[in-house]
Amino acid sequence: MLELIARVHLVLAKTKKAERTIRIGRTEIDLKARKVLVNGAEVELARQEFELLEVLILNRNIALSREKLLELAWGYDYMGDTRTVDVHITKLRKKLNLERQIKTVYKTGYRLEMEKESKA
């Protein structure tokens, strides 16, 4: 069921025409422009870091396994190790000051914790 919800969120977000800006604390993410600001300063993310961040945002408050994150952010064809997710999560936490929001879910994977969606 969680996989279905994650896929639906991803498809809806990609087909939605409206510009979407999400705020998480002092971090502002413009999904349409693929731009991230922390405390008003732009932060450069690698393409794959942004893809992972987008998957986390679209599936906020849902625990996703490393395998599911690989599938959604890297694609079905990716043949790498799940450790790749851990490395990218560490980078996102550090670059965007999201240590408290990106939670490690024991023996599962990760979850982006957000109260209510905040659109700008």
Side-chain angles (χ1 to χ4, degrees), residues 2-3 6 52 55-56 59 62-74 82 85-86 89 105-111:
L2 290 178
E3 179 178 343
L52 179 58
V55 167
L56 289 169
N59 296 287
I62 298 174
L64 296 173
S65 68
R66 288 169 177 83
E67 292 80 11
K68 181 52 60 187
L69 288 168
L70 274 174
E71 181 183 315
L72 293 173
W74 277 261
T82 57
V85 174
D86 299 334
I89 290 288
V105 180
Y106 182 68
K107 293 201 178 202
T108 301
Y110 297 97
R111 174 180 59 240

Side-chain angles (χ1 to χ4, degrees), residues 89-100:
I89 290 288
T90 300
K91 288 180 181 180
L92 285 176
R93 284 175 171 159
K94 190 173 188 177
K95 286 182 177 183
L96 306 180
N97 298 323
L98 296 177
E99 290 86 1
R100 292 183 181 166

Side-chain angles (χ1 to χ4, degrees), residues 14-47:
K14 290 190 178 200
T15 58
K16 200 171 193 178
K17 303 287 185 206
E19 184 173 320
R20 295 195 41 183
T21 302
I22 308 296
R23 288 184 193 273
I24 309 169
R26 296 178 184 234
T27 303
E28 185 176 319
I29 303 114
D30 184 337
L31 295 174
K32 187 173 183 181
R34 300 181 65 87
K35 189 181 207 181
V36 180
L37 303 174
V38 176
N39 295 324
E42 187 169 356
V43 175
E44 292 292 325
L45 294 181
R47 183 185 60 80

